[in-house]
Amino acid sequence: YDSIPSDIGCLFALGELEKMKEGEGGGGSTLHRKVTCYQCVFDGGKPSMSGGTLASDVLTTNTTQSSSSSSSPTMIHPHLFSENSSNNKNNSNQFQTKAWYSKDVKSWVGPFPMEKINVPATNRSAYFLNYAASSSLNNSNSQNKFSYQEVAVAPTQKAAMKLERLRTHPIPPSKMEQMIEQGRLPKPGQGPTPSHRSVLSFMALLVAEEEEDPNNNHETKERKVCVAIKGGDPGYEETSKMVIESALCLILQPNSCPGLAKGGGGFQSSAMCMGRTLITRLQHAGIQFLKVEDAKKEVDLFWSDGMKRMMEMKEKKGPRAKL
């Protein structure tokens, strides 16, 4: 699951932004581009994290803490896998730490737990695919800027503040390891039951914005587009689809993968390597890539659909049933 919806989703969102620009006859200088990814996960009313994901989180926290204390050059930060351009002041070197009210989705948001994995991967694509410049211009002007951030959409302000506390005062890895050993948290290989997974879902809602100087006369024009990447259980079913389709993409369609077709190798992100070819395969596998008009409406529909699935499952199992 991580980090394909973020990385491929950002590519998809910027593609829709480019279509809008071309439809309007835009052709000026792109001054700034910004993408915000609003992550939504419906957990069925109880924890749905798998033991493997939890183990990864413990490892990430341990790595972050050890590198921070030793001033290691490999300290986890948003541009760990890309060149951190010093002239791009809009690209923060800090991850999200606060809860806030988003005008885009008209909901409270907070730090997303997997941000420290997703953002560096997406920023690598941004650097090598030159997201800062309009593709129609093929312009690598250093004055162009790009920024990407990622947050979790919370159903309530209280839930958003809890996300903030977990980021600023995380559970110590040693405590989490102890809880895993005690059986209070799942071990690798353990996770939600099939019935629980059947009600789970995810949505990555990406809002892409840009400022353009249409006639290169210092008069700015703003554009905004919103897209959604939607699917079912992110921990198992959709993760499996993404892994399998990525492998088939490389095996069956190497000439359609931009990173391979150019004869490249090395450490490539999903957007760099497979790009839109992977988007098409994931769409055929049942993962939705949609342009949406109303971000708030999509978020409200996401929560209501999740509650509907949960209630239907409980009705099937009886009034006292648990997922």
Side-chain angles (χ1 to χ4, degrees):
Y1 171 65
D2 300 298
S3 302
I4 286 180
S6 303
D7 188 32
I8 291 290
C10 188
L11 179 70
F12 180 69
L14 290 174
E16 292 301 311
L17 190 66
E18 192 67 23
K19 290 179 184 178
M20 177 184 289
K21 182 173 184 174
E22 292 174 355
E24 296 174 353
S29 299
T30 302
L31 304 176
H32 179 246
R33 280 183 166 179
K34 172 186 176 183
V35 176
T36 303
C37 180
Y38 295 93
Q39 294 276 7
C40 306
V41 178
F42 183 78
D43 61 8
K46 68 178 188 178
S48 59
M49 184 177 289
S50 69
T53 300
L54 190 61
S56 297
D57 186 50
V58 172
L59 178 61
T60 300
T61 304
N62 275 326
T63 303
T64 303
Q65 291 181 349
S66 61
S67 62
S68 298
S69 61
S70 63
S71 299
S72 168
T74 58
M75 176 181 175
I76 294 177
H77 60 84
H79 299 276
L80 177 63
F81 304 135
S82 60
E83 294 292 331
N84 185 11
S85 177
S86 60
N87 65 3
N88 192 343
K89 62 184 179 181
N90 291 288
N91 255 334
S92 172
N93 280 323
Q94 303 296 322
F95 291 109
Q96 302 293 316
T97 59
K98 299 291 185 181
W100 46 280
Y101 186 82
S102 166
K103 294 182 180 179
D104 283 332
V105 295
K106 294 180 175 58
S107 176
W108 280 87
V109 300
F112 184 57
M114 305 307 289
E115 175 196 21
K116 293 183 179 180
I117 295 175
N118 300 340
V119 172
T122 305
N123 276 334
R124 182 171 178 81
S125 297
Y127 176 75
F128 284 97
L129 298 179
N130 195 22
Y131 286 171
S134 170
S135 61
S136 63
L137 297 176
N138 193 25
N139 180 4
S140 58
N141 187 338
S142 63
Q143 295 304 311
N144 293 335
K145 303 177 180 69
F146 174 82
S147 59
Y148 176 82
Q149 63 178 346
E150 189 164 297
V151 293
V153 178
T156 63
Q157 180 180 0
K158 182 179 179 180
M161 296 306 297
K162 182 177 180 180
L163 290 171
E164 178 181 312
R165 289 194 299 273
L166 286 173
R167 175 57 58 86
T168 56
H169 298 86
I171 301 174
S174 58
K175 178 65 175 178
M176 294 177 67
E177 291 171 341
Q178 183 181 34
M179 294 172 71
I180 292 172
E181 290 300 319
Q182 294 173 345
R184 297 166 60 189
L185 291 174
K187 297 179 180 180
Q190 297 178 336
T193 64
S195 61
H196 186 190
R197 294 201 304 270
S198 69
V199 304
L200 304 180
S201 61
F202 84 90
M203 178 174 68
L205 196 68
L206 295 101
V207 177
E209 305 171 70
E210 80 170 6
E211 293 180 0
E212 180 198 35
D213 185 355
N215 302 309
N216 297 314
N217 60 3
H218 306 292
E219 293 182 3
T220 62
K221 179 176 182 178
E222 297 181 356
R223 293 186 183 86
K224 179 184 287 191
V225 69
C226 181
V227 303
I229 294 84
K230 303 167 72 174
D233 163 39
Y236 290 87
E237 275 83 359
E238 305 302 46
T239 293
S240 300
K241 288 180 184 178
M242 293 176 193
V243 171
I244 292 169
E245 293 301 331
S246 295
L248 292 174
C249 195
L250 296 173
I251 295 170
L252 301 178
Q253 298 175 274
N255 293 331
S256 298
C257 295
L260 297 182
K262 295 179 182 179
F267 174 36
Q268 297 189 38
S269 67
S270 55
M272 292 166 59
C273 183
M274 295 167 282
R276 301 185 190 282
T277 304
L278 180 58
I279 292 177
T280 300
R281 294 199 67 94
L282 292 175
Q283 287 175 317
H284 290 161
I287 296 176
Q288 300 178 66
F289 287 74
L290 309 166
K291 180 181 177 181
V292 300
E293 299 300 328
D294 189 330
K296 179 183 184 301
K297 183 177 179 180
E298 286 297 319
V299 171
D300 291 344
L301 184 62
F302 176 80
W303 296 129
S304 63
D305 283 351
M307 291 299 297
K308 182 179 178 181
R309 289 193 307 274
M310 186 172 70
M311 296 307 297
E312 288 175 348
M313 177 59 67
K314 287 185 176 181
E315 288 177 3
K316 289 179 181 179
K317 290 177 168 289
R320 297 184 180 181
K322 294 184 179 180
L323 294 178

